[in-house]
Amino acid sequence: MKNLITRVRTTRLGFLSLLLILIWLKTLFAYYVDFRLGATGILQQVILFFNPLGTSAALLSLGLYPRRPKAGYAVGGIVYVLLCLLLVINVLYYREFSDFMTVGTVMSVKNVSSGLGGSFINMVIWRDLVFVCDFAAILLGFLGYGVVNIWRYIHHQPLKWPHFGLRLDTRPLPYHVPQAVSAVAVALFGLNMTISELNRPQLLTRTFDRNYIVKYLGLAPFTVYDAFQTVQNNQVRATADSADMDDVLAYTKAHYAKPSTEYFGAAKGKNIIIIHLESFQQFLIGAKIDGQEVTPFLNSLIKEQDTLSFDNFFHEVGLGKTSDAENMLETSTFGLSTGSLFSSLGTDNTFQAAPALLDQYAGYTSAVFHGGDGTFWNRSNTYKSLGYDYFFDGDFYNHEKGTTTEYGIKDKLMFAETSKYLTHLQQPFYAKIITTTNHYPFYIANSDTDFPDAGTSDAYINGYFRTAHYLDAALREFFTYLKQSGLYENSLVMMYGDHYGISNDRNQTLSDLLSSSTSDSTGDTAANWTSFDDTNLQRVPLIFHMPGLKGGINHTYGGEIDVLPTLLHLAGVDTKPLVQFGTDLLSPQHDPVVAFRNHNFVTPQYTVLGSTVYRNRTGEVVTPTASLQRKLDAAQASVDARLTLSDTLATKNLLRFYVPAGFTPVNPQKVMFNRSLANMLKQERTLGKRSTSLFSQHPNSPTIADYQTDAPEVQTDPDVISAWPAKVAGQADAAADTAEDDTTDQ
Ligand code: GP9
Ligand code: MN
């Protein structure tokens, strides 16, 4: 031991190792005490524990290279200080934003002044001393020596410099040592990368969440990766010129489909409630397991006369999955060919999205609800850019033991708690509710549903029908509440499936079940399964329900890109001046060519996958005649054009050059989502008699206490849904203090 301490004190390698251990310990402290990285399972814990090691060692090993010893110590010291600085800045930033700081944030002056400036220093608390205790000790040492030296100076004694027991190692290092240390460090990082990729495939290509990258790879690699992305984004943006926008406008203007006279404005002034059905495929509708309907509620809803549903509606997502679906829904522009647009461009791109459009053209308030981490898919930043007024993320939901599944609060509880917020929103509102229970790995406890196991050889497929059934039941409860509360009469509810839940490699296992238990397509079985069958299964539900809406099952071909123009036209907002790549599904001019992100496409008659053409009716491969080939070539050209132009629009951030008539660009800095409840209640109070929230207009209407749910958690403890979650209760209390009857609504 003594020997070891001596080596640390007296050798360069020893000194750098000491720095490595210090930064490792400090980082682990931040990981476990400050950040909420959500490491689950032993493997993730191990990755988290070791991930600071590889990169820190690689960087500190730079101190071994200089030939001059002093320079070596200095390089090591500087690297150490920078790593500590990065850590401390992120700890403080995280405390305020629950997210890691990006290079983009640092570079954006507005962000710096609103987020990092004044309030930054206020974020410091006592335990942060841990991060600077070594520096503080050195400082104290210097002060001590200073005092001693003053005394020595007065007494004419020679002055002494502090050395803290360290001795400069003046011996040159053997030539192979720096290389060997760096190689081991890089190998360690490589191992870390490989295990992470196995545990979470496509970690970097998809960029789900900054928390994930830090959890798996560490803070320094995250920052380097982020800087690299920022530079790349900026380079592409710098090449933009107005001619690019002209090309986009030429396409979208020519492609515009005017609204149908029958439906235009049918939902004018109504609340719009969007329900994002996680991983929900169309084949679930009408499917039965052991004779039991998987989605009895939706099956009956679809039959109602004021329900308009589409059965040839496809998801069009890429790697950004949920976030791609949301992006198309909100903007009618495509996700990116790789990665997630929300993650890579959501923070600082210019958007003309549903919340802002409905606000500015039709006076809507907007809110989005998601019972999981607000940072997932970079939502907490992107929603600001989209113009949302409020974002109620997982912090606004009660997290009792057992109330969540992997991605968020269980749907039944989620809808119940969401209702509590809906009653205080100014009407008309645009509210998007994102469900999460029906998500891979599709697990739901027997106490939550008694739906039978489908009995296939694949546990995920079996689970899928159960979680979907649970979601359907949650929808029924929510609709009951809407009717009870009175919101129903005044609202258009739109539901859509965001993307597949069962991936193509599982479809053959699913196929036998489908041919016997669903109304799905061609009835193909595993034996003659083709890519055409996979494509058929990319249908997802799209359902509109509103008292008085002209309903029916509509067979029009369309995709997620078409939702926004359809919705805006229903709300009475013409989309002519807007840049949108989809067309109104209800318009006689609707373009029924459905473009997938990989440039494959489906028309009402044919499915074109690469160079193979299938006839939709029979599923057979056809050799096109010359005239059919010409038509398909034209469709392919149109698909290629819209995807490429949409990519250019996004990557070059072209919407900053185009402002539609009557529209004011969104200022993302104006909202603070972590104060959503306080701000919403404050607005309700400030408006007083002019407030249009359900609570203001009908203070005695049913409350959350009347919400009917068979969720087992609520049976044991009604507070699980009725109490404001601990984290935000203060926001409600502050409002209640100043408003007379605010307390009666809980
Ligand atoms: C998590 C949820 C899942 O927030 O939206 O996203 P997905 O994995 O479906 O893209
Ligand atoms: Mn999803």
Side-chain angles (χ1 to χ4, degrees), residues 206 208 276 278-279 320-323 326 370 373 376-377 379 407 434-436 439 498-499:
R206 296 185 61 196
F208 311 90
H276 178 111
E278 179 56 47
S279 305
K321 300 285 286 289
T322 293
S323 65
E326 287 189 61
H370 171 61
D373 279 338
F376 203 90
W377 288 132
R379 285 185 173 103
Y407 288 89
I434 302 168
T435 65
T436 56
H439 190 289
D498 63 345
H499 50 73

PDB file of all heavy atoms in Angstrom, residues 206 208 276 278-279 320-323 326 370 373 376-377 379 407 434-436 439 498-499, ligand 1:
ATOM      1  N   ARG A 206     -30.094   6.041 -33.711  1.00  0.00           N
ATOM      2  CA  ARG A 206     -31.457   6.483 -33.434  1.00  0.00           C
ATOM      3  C   ARG A 206     -31.538   7.596 -32.400  1.00  0.00           C
ATOM      4  O   ARG A 206     -32.525   8.313 -32.355  1.00  0.00           O
ATOM      5  CB  ARG A 206     -32.330   5.290 -33.001  1.00  0.00           C
ATOM      6  CG  ARG A 206     -32.483   4.270 -34.125  1.00  0.00           C
ATOM      7  CD  ARG A 206     -33.432   3.170 -33.751  1.00  0.00           C
ATOM      8  NE  ARG A 206     -34.767   3.665 -33.479  1.00  0.00           N
ATOM      9  CZ  ARG A 206     -35.688   2.956 -32.851  1.00  0.00           C
ATOM     10  NH1 ARG A 206     -35.421   1.763 -32.417  1.00  0.00           N
ATOM     11  NH2 ARG A 206     -36.881   3.460 -32.648  1.00  0.00           N
ATOM     12  N   PHE A 208     -32.260   7.917 -29.113  1.00  0.00           N
ATOM     13  CA  PHE A 208     -33.553   7.974 -28.422  1.00  0.00           C
ATOM     14  C   PHE A 208     -33.606   9.127 -27.419  1.00  0.00           C
ATOM     15  O   PHE A 208     -34.568   9.862 -27.327  1.00  0.00           O
ATOM     16  CB  PHE A 208     -33.785   6.709 -27.595  1.00  0.00           C
ATOM     17  CG  PHE A 208     -33.540   5.443 -28.314  1.00  0.00           C
ATOM     18  CD1 PHE A 208     -32.292   4.846 -28.307  1.00  0.00           C
ATOM     19  CD2 PHE A 208     -34.574   4.827 -28.997  1.00  0.00           C
ATOM     20  CE1 PHE A 208     -32.083   3.646 -28.955  1.00  0.00           C
ATOM     21  CE2 PHE A 208     -34.360   3.631 -29.656  1.00  0.00           C
ATOM     22  CZ  PHE A 208     -33.114   3.042 -29.642  1.00  0.00           C
ATOM     23  N   HIS A 276     -52.579   8.972 -29.219  1.00  0.00           N
ATOM     24  CA  HIS A 276     -51.484   8.287 -29.902  1.00  0.00           C
ATOM     25  C   HIS A 276     -51.477   6.842 -29.405  1.00  0.00           C
ATOM     26  O   HIS A 276     -51.139   6.580 -28.258  1.00  0.00           O
ATOM     27  CB  HIS A 276     -50.201   9.040 -29.529  1.00  0.00           C
ATOM     28  CG  HIS A 276     -48.943   8.488 -30.073  1.00  0.00           C
ATOM     29  ND1 HIS A 276     -48.202   9.117 -31.042  1.00  0.00           N
ATOM     30  CD2 HIS A 276     -48.255   7.373 -29.755  1.00  0.00           C
ATOM     31  CE1 HIS A 276     -47.123   8.416 -31.303  1.00  0.00           C
ATOM     32  NE2 HIS A 276     -47.123   7.357 -30.537  1.00  0.00           N
ATOM     33  N   GLU A 278     -49.939   3.620 -29.051  1.00  0.00           N
ATOM     34  CA  GLU A 278     -48.578   3.109 -29.177  1.00  0.00           C
ATOM     35  C   GLU A 278     -48.559   1.744 -29.867  1.00  0.00           C
ATOM     36  O   GLU A 278     -49.310   0.841 -29.493  1.00  0.00           O
ATOM     37  CB  GLU A 278     -47.944   3.021 -27.778  1.00  0.00           C
ATOM     38  CG  GLU A 278     -46.539   2.471 -27.756  1.00  0.00           C
ATOM     39  CD  GLU A 278     -45.571   3.247 -28.645  1.00  0.00           C
ATOM     40  OE1 GLU A 278     -45.572   4.489 -28.576  1.00  0.00           O
ATOM     41  OE2 GLU A 278     -44.832   2.613 -29.415  1.00  0.00           O
ATOM     42  N   SER A 279     -47.704   1.623 -30.869  1.00  0.00           N
ATOM     43  CA  SER A 279     -47.426   0.344 -31.563  1.00  0.00           C
ATOM     44  C   SER A 279     -48.688  -0.396 -32.009  1.00  0.00           C
ATOM     45  O   SER A 279     -48.722  -1.621 -32.028  1.00  0.00           O
ATOM     46  CB  SER A 279     -46.617  -0.593 -30.657  1.00  0.00           C
ATOM     47  OG  SER A 279     -45.444   0.032 -30.215  1.00  0.00           O
ATOM     48  N   GLY A 320     -36.861   6.801 -36.362  1.00  0.00           N
ATOM     49  CA  GLY A 320     -37.353   7.644 -35.256  1.00  0.00           C
ATOM     50  C   GLY A 320     -38.678   7.177 -34.674  1.00  0.00           C
ATOM     51  O   GLY A 320     -39.240   7.854 -33.803  1.00  0.00           O
ATOM     52  N   LYS A 321     -39.226   6.065 -35.192  1.00  0.00           N
ATOM     53  CA  LYS A 321     -40.437   5.438 -34.659  1.00  0.00           C
ATOM     54  C   LYS A 321     -41.484   6.441 -34.132  1.00  0.00           C
ATOM     55  O   LYS A 321     -42.019   7.214 -34.890  1.00  0.00           O
ATOM     56  CB  LYS A 321     -40.071   4.430 -33.562  1.00  0.00           C
ATOM     57  CG  LYS A 321     -39.162   3.301 -34.014  1.00  0.00           C
ATOM     58  CD  LYS A 321     -39.868   2.254 -34.848  1.00  0.00           C
ATOM     59  CE  LYS A 321     -40.777   1.343 -34.071  1.00  0.00           C
ATOM     60  NZ  LYS A 321     -40.103   0.379 -33.203  1.00  0.00           N
ATOM     61  N   THR A 322     -41.764   6.388 -32.819  1.00  0.00           N
ATOM     62  CA  THR A 322     -42.795   7.267 -32.257  1.00  0.00           C
ATOM     63  C   THR A 322     -42.572   8.723 -32.661  1.00  0.00           C
ATOM     64  O   THR A 322     -43.502   9.425 -33.048  1.00  0.00           O
ATOM     65  CB  THR A 322     -42.802   7.188 -30.716  1.00  0.00           C
ATOM     66  OG1 THR A 322     -43.220   5.901 -30.324  1.00  0.00           O
ATOM     67  CG2 THR A 322     -43.749   8.215 -30.118  1.00  0.00           C
ATOM     68  N   SER A 323     -41.311   9.155 -32.578  1.00  0.00           N
ATOM     69  CA  SER A 323     -41.042  10.573 -32.844  1.00  0.00           C
ATOM     70  C   SER A 323     -41.284  10.902 -34.318  1.00  0.00           C
ATOM     71  O   SER A 323     -41.701  12.015 -34.652  1.00  0.00           O
ATOM     72  CB  SER A 323     -39.628  10.951 -32.424  1.00  0.00           C
ATOM     73  OG  SER A 323     -38.679  10.272 -33.204  1.00  0.00           O
ATOM     74  N   GLU A 326     -45.020  11.255 -34.647  1.00  0.00           N
ATOM     75  CA  GLU A 326     -45.447  12.549 -34.087  1.00  0.00           C
ATOM     76  C   GLU A 326     -45.064  13.690 -35.023  1.00  0.00           C
ATOM     77  O   GLU A 326     -45.825  14.627 -35.229  1.00  0.00           O
ATOM     78  CB  GLU A 326     -44.793  12.785 -32.726  1.00  0.00           C
ATOM     79  CG  GLU A 326     -45.358  11.922 -31.624  1.00  0.00           C
ATOM     80  CD  GLU A 326     -44.829  12.366 -30.267  1.00  0.00           C
ATOM     81  OE1 GLU A 326     -45.070  13.519 -29.883  1.00  0.00           O
ATOM     82  OE2 GLU A 326     -44.163  11.560 -29.598  1.00  0.00           O
ATOM     83  N   HIS A 370     -47.635  12.823 -21.724  1.00  0.00           N
ATOM     84  CA  HIS A 370     -46.856  11.598 -21.911  1.00  0.00           C
ATOM     85  C   HIS A 370     -46.351  11.156 -20.540  1.00  0.00           C
ATOM     86  O   HIS A 370     -45.643  11.914 -19.883  1.00  0.00           O
ATOM     87  CB  HIS A 370     -45.680  11.901 -22.855  1.00  0.00           C
ATOM     88  CG  HIS A 370     -44.686  10.788 -22.965  1.00  0.00           C
ATOM     89  ND1 HIS A 370     -45.024   9.551 -23.441  1.00  0.00           N
ATOM     90  CD2 HIS A 370     -43.365  10.717 -22.677  1.00  0.00           C
ATOM     91  CE1 HIS A 370     -43.959   8.772 -23.444  1.00  0.00           C
ATOM     92  NE2 HIS A 370     -42.928   9.450 -22.971  1.00  0.00           N
ATOM     93  N   ASP A 373     -40.451   9.637 -19.388  1.00  0.00           N
ATOM     94  CA  ASP A 373     -39.417  10.674 -19.294  1.00  0.00           C
ATOM     95  C   ASP A 373     -39.610  11.741 -20.367  1.00  0.00           C
ATOM     96  O   ASP A 373     -39.688  11.418 -21.553  1.00  0.00           O
ATOM     97  CB  ASP A 373     -38.021  10.055 -19.507  1.00  0.00           C
ATOM     98  CG  ASP A 373     -37.524   9.417 -18.225  1.00  0.00           C
ATOM     99  OD1 ASP A 373     -38.031   9.808 -17.156  1.00  0.00           O
ATOM    100  OD2 ASP A 373     -36.660   8.538 -18.305  1.00  0.00           O
ATOM    101  N   PHE A 376     -37.215  11.779 -23.486  1.00  0.00           N
ATOM    102  CA  PHE A 376     -37.186  10.731 -24.502  1.00  0.00           C
ATOM    103  C   PHE A 376     -37.563  11.312 -25.866  1.00  0.00           C
ATOM    104  O   PHE A 376     -38.503  12.070 -25.984  1.00  0.00           O
ATOM    105  CB  PHE A 376     -38.149   9.604 -24.121  1.00  0.00           C
ATOM    106  CG  PHE A 376     -37.791   8.296 -24.763  1.00  0.00           C
ATOM    107  CD1 PHE A 376     -36.939   7.409 -24.143  1.00  0.00           C
ATOM    108  CD2 PHE A 376     -38.292   7.965 -26.016  1.00  0.00           C
ATOM    109  CE1 PHE A 376     -36.591   6.200 -24.748  1.00  0.00           C
ATOM    110  CE2 PHE A 376     -37.954   6.765 -26.628  1.00  0.00           C
ATOM    111  CZ  PHE A 376     -37.101   5.883 -25.988  1.00  0.00           C
ATOM    112  N   TRP A 377     -36.811  10.958 -26.867  1.00  0.00           N
ATOM    113  CA  TRP A 377     -36.955  11.517 -28.223  1.00  0.00           C
ATOM    114  C   TRP A 377     -36.809  13.042 -28.222  1.00  0.00           C
ATOM    115  O   TRP A 377     -37.353  13.715 -29.085  1.00  0.00           O
ATOM    116  CB  TRP A 377     -38.291  11.133 -28.879  1.00  0.00           C
ATOM    117  CG  TRP A 377     -38.424   9.701 -29.300  1.00  0.00           C
ATOM    118  CD1 TRP A 377     -39.465   8.871 -29.046  1.00  0.00           C
ATOM    119  CD2 TRP A 377     -37.512   8.925 -30.092  1.00  0.00           C
ATOM    120  NE1 TRP A 377     -39.251   7.629 -29.591  1.00  0.00           N
ATOM    121  CE2 TRP A 377     -38.062   7.633 -30.249  1.00  0.00           C
ATOM    122  CE3 TRP A 377     -36.260   9.189 -30.692  1.00  0.00           C
ATOM    123  CZ2 TRP A 377     -37.425   6.603 -30.965  1.00  0.00           C
ATOM    124  CZ3 TRP A 377     -35.625   8.164 -31.391  1.00  0.00           C
ATOM    125  CH2 TRP A 377     -36.214   6.904 -31.525  1.00  0.00           C
ATOM    126  N   ARG A 379     -38.255  15.183 -26.624  1.00  0.00           N
ATOM    127  CA  ARG A 379     -39.566  15.834 -26.636  1.00  0.00           C
ATOM    128  C   ARG A 379     -39.550  17.178 -25.915  1.00  0.00           C
ATOM    129  O   ARG A 379     -40.146  18.151 -26.377  1.00  0.00           O
ATOM    130  CB  ARG A 379     -40.601  14.929 -25.965  1.00  0.00           C
ATOM    131  CG  ARG A 379     -41.037  13.753 -26.805  1.00  0.00           C
ATOM    132  CD  ARG A 379     -42.151  13.020 -26.070  1.00  0.00           C
ATOM    133  NE  ARG A 379     -42.737  11.985 -26.884  1.00  0.00           N
ATOM    134  CZ  ARG A 379     -42.475  10.679 -26.731  1.00  0.00           C
ATOM    135  NH1 ARG A 379     -41.647  10.271 -25.792  1.00  0.00           N
ATOM    136  NH2 ARG A 379     -43.055   9.789 -27.515  1.00  0.00           N
ATOM    137  N   TYR A 407     -42.087   2.253 -20.471  1.00  0.00           N
ATOM    138  CA  TYR A 407     -41.990   3.591 -21.070  1.00  0.00           C
ATOM    139  C   TYR A 407     -42.852   4.665 -20.426  1.00  0.00           C
ATOM    140  O   TYR A 407     -42.839   5.801 -20.848  1.00  0.00           O
ATOM    141  CB  TYR A 407     -42.293   3.506 -22.574  1.00  0.00           C
ATOM    142  CG  TYR A 407     -41.183   2.838 -23.328  1.00  0.00           C
ATOM    143  CD1 TYR A 407     -41.164   1.466 -23.509  1.00  0.00           C
ATOM    144  CD2 TYR A 407     -40.112   3.582 -23.827  1.00  0.00           C
ATOM    145  CE1 TYR A 407     -40.123   0.847 -24.173  1.00  0.00           C
ATOM    146  CE2 TYR A 407     -39.068   2.973 -24.490  1.00  0.00           C
ATOM    147  CZ  TYR A 407     -39.077   1.615 -24.656  1.00  0.00           C
ATOM    148  OH  TYR A 407     -38.038   1.017 -25.312  1.00  0.00           O
ATOM    149  N   ILE A 434     -50.249  10.596 -25.304  1.00  0.00           N
ATOM    150  CA  ILE A 434     -49.397   9.522 -25.836  1.00  0.00           C
ATOM    151  C   ILE A 434     -49.429   8.317 -24.902  1.00  0.00           C
ATOM    152  O   ILE A 434     -48.986   8.405 -23.754  1.00  0.00           O
ATOM    153  CB  ILE A 434     -47.952  10.022 -26.003  1.00  0.00           C
ATOM    154  CG1 ILE A 434     -47.938  11.224 -26.940  1.00  0.00           C
ATOM    155  CG2 ILE A 434     -47.055   8.913 -26.549  1.00  0.00           C
ATOM    156  CD1 ILE A 434     -46.627  11.958 -26.948  1.00  0.00           C
ATOM    157  N   THR A 435     -49.986   7.226 -25.379  1.00  0.00           N
ATOM    158  CA  THR A 435     -50.049   6.027 -24.549  1.00  0.00           C
ATOM    159  C   THR A 435     -48.715   5.275 -24.640  1.00  0.00           C
ATOM    160  O   THR A 435     -47.948   5.500 -25.583  1.00  0.00           O
ATOM    161  CB  THR A 435     -51.193   5.105 -25.018  1.00  0.00           C
ATOM    162  OG1 THR A 435     -50.895   4.640 -26.342  1.00  0.00           O
ATOM    163  CG2 THR A 435     -52.514   5.851 -25.027  1.00  0.00           C
ATOM    164  N   THR A 436     -48.444   4.420 -23.668  1.00  0.00           N
ATOM    165  CA  THR A 436     -47.150   3.704 -23.693  1.00  0.00           C
ATOM    166  C   THR A 436     -47.227   2.223 -23.326  1.00  0.00           C
ATOM    167  O   THR A 436     -46.273   1.489 -23.541  1.00  0.00           O
ATOM    168  CB  THR A 436     -46.144   4.340 -22.700  1.00  0.00           C
ATOM    169  OG1 THR A 436     -46.729   4.356 -21.409  1.00  0.00           O
ATOM    170  CG2 THR A 436     -45.746   5.743 -23.104  1.00  0.00           C
ATOM    171  N   HIS A 439     -46.337  -1.246 -25.682  1.00  0.00           N
ATOM    172  CA  HIS A 439     -45.010  -1.089 -26.284  1.00  0.00           C
ATOM    173  C   HIS A 439     -44.201  -2.348 -26.005  1.00  0.00           C
ATOM    174  O   HIS A 439     -44.360  -2.952 -24.943  1.00  0.00           O
ATOM    175  CB  HIS A 439     -44.320   0.143 -25.682  1.00  0.00           C
ATOM    176  CG  HIS A 439     -43.068   0.554 -26.384  1.00  0.00           C
ATOM    177  ND1 HIS A 439     -41.913  -0.180 -26.315  1.00  0.00           N
ATOM    178  CD2 HIS A 439     -42.803   1.614 -27.194  1.00  0.00           C
ATOM    179  CE1 HIS A 439     -40.972   0.410 -27.045  1.00  0.00           C
ATOM    180  NE2 HIS A 439     -41.502   1.503 -27.599  1.00  0.00           N
ATOM    181  N   ASP A 498     -49.170   4.531 -34.105  1.00  0.00           N
ATOM    182  CA  ASP A 498     -47.972   5.239 -34.552  1.00  0.00           C
ATOM    183  C   ASP A 498     -47.105   4.418 -35.488  1.00  0.00           C
ATOM    184  O   ASP A 498     -46.500   4.942 -36.416  1.00  0.00           O
ATOM    185  CB  ASP A 498     -47.160   5.791 -33.364  1.00  0.00           C
ATOM    186  CG  ASP A 498     -46.601   4.734 -32.426  1.00  0.00           C
ATOM    187  OD1 ASP A 498     -47.050   3.574 -32.491  1.00  0.00           O
ATOM    188  OD2 ASP A 498     -45.705   5.084 -31.629  1.00  0.00           O
ATOM    189  N   HIS A 499     -47.033   3.111 -35.258  1.00  0.00           N
ATOM    190  CA  HIS A 499     -46.210   2.235 -36.107  1.00  0.00           C
ATOM    191  C   HIS A 499     -46.476   0.797 -35.710  1.00  0.00           C
ATOM    192  O   HIS A 499     -47.250   0.540 -34.793  1.00  0.00           O
ATOM    193  CB  HIS A 499     -44.725   2.569 -35.982  1.00  0.00           C
ATOM    194  CG  HIS A 499     -44.253   2.648 -34.559  1.00  0.00           C
ATOM    195  ND1 HIS A 499     -44.087   1.540 -33.763  1.00  0.00           N
ATOM    196  CD2 HIS A 499     -43.978   3.717 -33.765  1.00  0.00           C
ATOM    197  CE1 HIS A 499     -43.688   1.910 -32.558  1.00  0.00           C
ATOM    198  NE2 HIS A 499     -43.633   3.235 -32.517  1.00  0.00           N
TER     199      HIS A 499
HETATM  200  C1  GP9 B   1     -41.405   6.441 -25.292  1.00  0.00           C
HETATM  201  C2  GP9 B   1     -42.292   6.010 -26.391  1.00  0.00           C
HETATM  202  C3  GP9 B   1     -41.648   4.931 -27.222  1.00  0.00           C
HETATM  203  O1  GP9 B   1     -41.511   7.722 -24.915  1.00  0.00           O
HETATM  204  O2  GP9 B   1     -42.796   7.058 -27.067  1.00  0.00           O
HETATM  205  O3  GP9 B   1     -41.092   5.295 -28.413  1.00  0.00           O
HETATM  206  P1  GP9 B   1     -40.846   4.215 -29.574  1.00  0.00           P
HETATM  207  O4  GP9 B   1     -39.875   3.204 -29.055  1.00  0.00           O
HETATM  208  O5  GP9 B   1     -42.158   3.579 -29.875  1.00  0.00           O
HETATM  209  O6  GP9 B   1     -40.336   4.984 -30.713  1.00  0.00           O
END
